[in-house]
Amino acid sequence: QVELVESGGGLVQTGDSLRVSCAASGSTLSGYAIAWFRQAPGTEREFVAAVSRVGGFTYYGDSVKGRFTFSRDNGKNTVYLQMTNLKPEDTAVYYCAAGRRVITSSLRSPGAYDFWGQGTQVTVSS
């Protein structure tokens, strides 16, 4: 069992940068696949980025590739999503998720993850 708490969201302007965090407790994140998803009102949850449990490979959604960076601090049991060149279409609630049995082909699927945080709101004004 792992508990996830996101933080760091806020209101920024187009072109700004922001880093959101996901702190874990109850279990070390090193044994999990970890992902970031986002959801805007009236839309489905969208894959943003993930790191695989085996090998630690990082994957990004097409809409954020080259702008967002996934990182982790094992000592703090925390993962981060560094977001640069933010756009209004990045506005959403950002969630982190963890799963022990996520295979590579399912990394982009919300249903593959067992544990979710409560989310943090990111709003990008134009």
Side-chain angles (χ1 to χ4, degrees):
Q1 185 82 13
V2 61
E3 295 185 4
L4 305 171
V5 179
E6 301 95 334
S7 62
L11 173 64
V12 297
Q13 295 184 338
T14 297
D16 284 352
S17 298
L18 189 68
R19 189 180 77 166
V20 292
S21 305
C22 174
S25 61
S27 184
T28 177
L29 286 177
S30 61
Y32 293 81
I34 309 296
W36 286 97
F37 290 84
R38 66 186 183 185
Q39 189 166 22
T43 69
E44 294 186 351
R45 199 158 290 192
E46 177 190 7
F47 171 76
V48 176
V51 64
S52 62
R53 182 179 63 86
V54 178
F57 299 105
T58 307
Y59 303 83
Y60 295 96
D62 290 341
S63 61
V64 307
K65 200 173 296 183
R67 300 189 297 123
F68 290 13
T69 303
F70 189 118
S71 64
R72 67 195 303 166
D73 184 333
N74 290 332
K76 294 183 178 180
N77 212 25
T78 298
V79 298
Y80 305 96
L81 184 68
Q82 177 69 50
M83 303 180 286
T84 63
N85 191 22
L86 282 161
K87 306 174 182 180
E89 51 264 42
D90 294 318
T91 295
V93 178
Y94 284 71
Y95 299 91
C96 66
R100 280 196 176 275
R101 297 175 297 274
V102 184
I103 59 176
T104 301
S105 60
S106 298
L107 279 168
R108 300 169 185 265
S109 301
Y113 295 86
D114 303 308
F115 306 103
W116 291 82
Q118 83 290 348
T120 186
Q121 176 72 46
V122 174
T123 303
V124 185
S125 64
S126 57

